[in-house]
Each structure stands twice: as structure tokens, then as C-alpha cells.
Amino acid sequence: MDLWEEVVQEYSKEIQNLKNMLGEGSVEDHQHYRQVVGSIQGIEWSRQKLLDILKNLNKINEEE
């Protein structure tokens, strides 16, 4: 596993941890709920952008 796969895996773990927090009812109030949901959205966006970049880099490397 290379560095970038580890980063993507850590993003996925954190997203799952936050989802578990929501599912277990561990949020304190509505504002905390919104913060957790926003964190999930931000991490998911970052994870997807990283995957897109890696896919494009692999495509470029295969063409060379």
C-alpha cells in the first residue's frame, strides 16, 4: 500500500467514525450534529478529490 492509499484509508476510517457517532446518538445538540455532518461532507469531498487526482495521474503515467 502506498502513501496515498493510506491517506484515503484514513479518510474513510474517520468518515466511518463520524457516522458511527451520529448513529449512536453521541452528538450533544443540533449545532454539534451540524458540525459532524459538515465534517463528514468535507472529508468525503477531500477523499474524492484525492482519488480523482490519483486516477488522473495514473492515466497520465500509463500514456507515457
Side-chain angles (χ1 to χ4, degrees), residues 9-46:
Q9 186 177 29
E10 285 300 314
Y11 280 160
S12 297
K13 284 181 189 177
E14 184 61 22
I15 290 167
Q16 191 57 52
N17 289 339
L18 292 169
K19 286 180 178 181
N20 289 344
M21 181 189 296
L22 290 175
E24 295 166 358
S26 299
V27 294
E28 300 162 6
D29 54 22
H30 184 69
Q31 183 169 343
H32 188 214
Y33 171 83
R34 289 175 48 144
Q35 179 186 4
V36 172
V37 170
S39 294
I40 292 169
Q41 290 172 329
I43 296 168
E44 181 61 40
W45 181 87
S46 297

Side-chain angles (χ1 to χ4, degrees), residues 2-3 5 8 14-16 32 35 41-42 56 59 64:
D2 70 0
L3 171 68
E5 289 173 341
V8 170
E14 184 61 22
I15 290 167
Q16 191 57 52
H32 188 214
Q35 179 186 4
Q41 290 172 329
N56 288 337
K59 197 181 292 185
E64 292 180 349

